[in-house]
Amino acid sequence: MSEHAEAILRPFRVDVPEAVLADLRERLTRTRWPDELPDAGWTRGVPLAYLKELADYWRTAYDWREHEASLNQIPQFTTTIDGANVHFLHVRSPEPDALPLIVTHGWPGSVVEFLDIIGPLTDPRRYGGDPADAFHLVVPSIPGFGFSGPAREAGWDVPRIARAWAELMRRLNYRRYGAQGGDWGFEIARELGIADAAHVAGVHLSTMLTPPSADTAEEAALTEDDKARLAQFARAEREMSGYEKVQETRPQTLSYALTDSPVGQLAWIVEKFKEWTDSTDLPEDAVSRDRLLTNVMLYWLTATAGSSAGLYYETFHSASQPHPNRSTTPTGVAVFAGDVALPVRRIAERDNHIVRWSEFDRGGHFAAMEEPDLFADDVRAFFHQLR
């Protein structure tokens, strides 16, 4: 394929055949359910009664066509970058001096995470904000995820994705832009800020991992709150990382179950929306049921359970790890209290040029879905100082 052909931006529209939806309903009807121990709750995974009820809602009440129509109200495109099909939302602000901003999801998220922040960020005037804080938004699906998937070749690790994002922004004629990300988007946005530092004005992160180091001086400087956060991180790694170990090592084996069984795919994702959000009893305490199912649908409809899990494998086995050096790109960190692991600022500052650090008493790992107002306000405030 020629360079010119690769650079073409192709308009994209979601159009799922009715036969695919009928097959989904049939599979949900014929689910073979496991047993469970009494009174286990969420301690061993997703409870049987909850998942049965949610699957029944998915089959009988959830209306994909409604959400497909909403997605199709957003301008979407695909393009070929480094041999991969890349799907992205692209919403230009009515404000001519808006700052371009590329926003990256993670796993098990998707572009669905950001639907509620598109309006406030692209058109703040309409939402009671300052038009000087407007953004042109670019929201790509990571290669191997959703409408960018499935992946057709190995090697799509974080550095390669960051290079693809830099190329995408170049194709859109955005010479100076910001980057935002959470979960894998945290790794990708940070890497983008290093790899394309000449063009990235700043990086805003709604997730940041700060595992402890062997530096005794650093350890001695930790506060009690810092130590509590590191202990929380250690508990999460010990208790909730089973999915990660499988996806790092045997994503293909996992993919057969999740691609064949919609209930399997649902359970694999909904568990994380319970554990990682600021929920109390159920995931719906933090994220609406329909929005959660729309996110799941992007995995189911595109059969990308395996290729999205492959990002863990690529990173675990990659010879080109993300830049280990300190990022000098201005960085803002938004910490949401309900996240699965909270970062420690003094550790974060070791490797990042942090110019804004915000702490919120609510919201969790999927911050743009859980608390879109807090998320949008913090993004605007961070980039306001960099325009």
Side-chain angles (χ1 to χ4, degrees):
M1 181 179 293
S2 70
E3 182 178 349
H4 175 72
E6 280 207 347
I8 293 174
L9 305 180
R10 302 174 291 269
F12 178 84
R13 182 176 177 82
V14 185
D15 185 14
V16 177
E18 187 60 37
V20 173
L21 302 180
D23 174 72
L24 170 60
R25 290 190 292 269
E26 173 66 16
R27 288 170 183 268
L28 289 169
T29 300
R30 298 181 62 251
T31 300
R32 184 182 181 214
W33 294 99
D35 198 1
E36 71 172 349
L37 293 175
D39 303 319
W42 287 84
T43 58
R44 292 171 180 258
V46 184
L48 178 61
Y50 170 75
L51 199 64
K52 278 187 171 181
E53 196 274 327
L54 183 59
D56 186 64
Y57 177 86
W58 193 8
R59 180 178 64 86
T60 63
Y62 173 81
D63 183 0
W64 165 253
R65 293 301 184 200
E66 174 189 341
H67 301 285
E68 180 183 72
S70 295
L71 283 169
N72 283 329
Q73 291 176 6
I74 304 167
Q76 300 173 66
F77 301 86
T78 61
T79 190
T80 303
I81 302 177
D82 194 11
N85 176 65
V86 175
H87 161 264
F88 61 100
L89 315 181
H90 184 204
V91 186
R92 286 188 60 84
S93 171
E95 306 297 337
D97 296 327
L99 177 70
L101 178 67
I102 185 166
V103 181
T104 308
H105 65 86
W107 183 92
S110 68
V111 297
V112 171
E113 288 185 53
F114 307 111
L115 298 182
D116 290 335
I117 56 99
I118 290 175
L121 289 184
T122 59
D123 194 3
R125 186 193 303 269
R126 182 180 174 189
Y127 290 82
D130 186 344
D133 290 328
F135 297 91
H136 300 308
L137 278 189
V138 179
V139 187
S141 298
I142 295 172
F145 286 68
F147 297 120
S148 286
R152 299 301 182 190
E153 64 176 3
W156 277 97
D157 55 11
V158 167
R160 188 174 178 184
I161 296 167
R163 292 194 299 271
W165 279 193
E167 171 61 17
L168 176 60
M169 297 304 273
R170 187 193 67 79
R171 290 185 188 180
L172 294 172
N173 293 316
Y174 292 145
R175 294 295 179 258
R176 184 175 184 271
Y177 61 92
Q180 199 287 326
D183 194 88
W184 279 112
F186 142 62
E187 298 273 9
I188 295 164
R190 182 181 182 276
E191 177 74 6
L192 181 58
I194 298 173
D196 198 26
H199 300 106
V200 177
V203 172
H204 181 277
L205 305 171
S206 52
T207 305
M208 175 169 275
L209 300 181
T210 54
S213 72
D215 188 328
T216 54
E218 180 180 273
E219 182 179 0
L222 297 176
T223 67
E224 291 304 311
D225 180 65
D226 294 338
K227 293 176 183 177
R229 292 186 176 201
L230 292 177
Q232 179 184 350
F233 179 87
R235 286 194 300 272
E237 280 290 291
R238 182 175 62 252
E239 183 68 20
M240 303 179 191
S241 62
Y243 79 96
E244 184 178 5
K245 301 305 181 186
V246 174
Q247 296 189 161
E248 283 178 350
T249 57
R250 298 296 185 269
Q252 184 64 30
T253 303
L254 173 68
S255 72
Y256 298 112
L258 302 191
T259 304
D260 186 61
S261 168
V263 164
Q265 179 69 91
L266 177 63
W268 196 247
I269 289 178
V270 79
E271 178 187 272
K272 300 310 163 197
F273 275 81
K274 169 61 170 65
E275 293 180 339
W276 296 354
T277 58
D278 190 17
S279 61
T280 50
D281 300 315
L282 299 173
E284 296 96 307
D285 298 336
V287 176
S288 74
R289 179 170 284 195
D290 273 24
R291 187 56 56 83
L292 173 59
L293 288 172
T294 301
N295 182 70
V296 172
M297 285 290 278
L298 262 62
Y299 285 81
W300 175 257
L301 295 172
T302 58
T304 50
S307 61
S308 60
L311 178 53
Y312 288 81
Y313 184 94
E314 298 294 350
T315 300
F316 188 64
H317 294 84
S318 176
S320 59
Q321 292 297 318
H323 285 86
N325 53 298
R326 188 175 192 273
S327 171
T328 59
T329 302
T331 300
V333 179
V335 181
F336 293 85
D339 204 349
V340 63
L342 304 180
V344 173
R345 180 168 185 170
R346 67 185 63 247
I347 297 177
E349 288 178 333
R350 179 185 61 207
D351 298 321
N352 302 277
H353 175 39
I354 294 176
V355 299
R356 180 180 173 87
W357 185 280
S358 305
E359 300 260 354
F360 298 102
D361 62 0
R362 61 188 187 278
H365 195 71
F366 304 95
M369 299 176 84
E370 298 177 61
E371 298 292 342
D373 291 342
L374 292 180
F375 180 94
D377 286 348
D378 200 67
V379 169
R380 283 194 291 248
F382 168 67
F383 283 104
H384 182 83
Q385 61 193 315
L386 301 175
R387 290 177 183 264

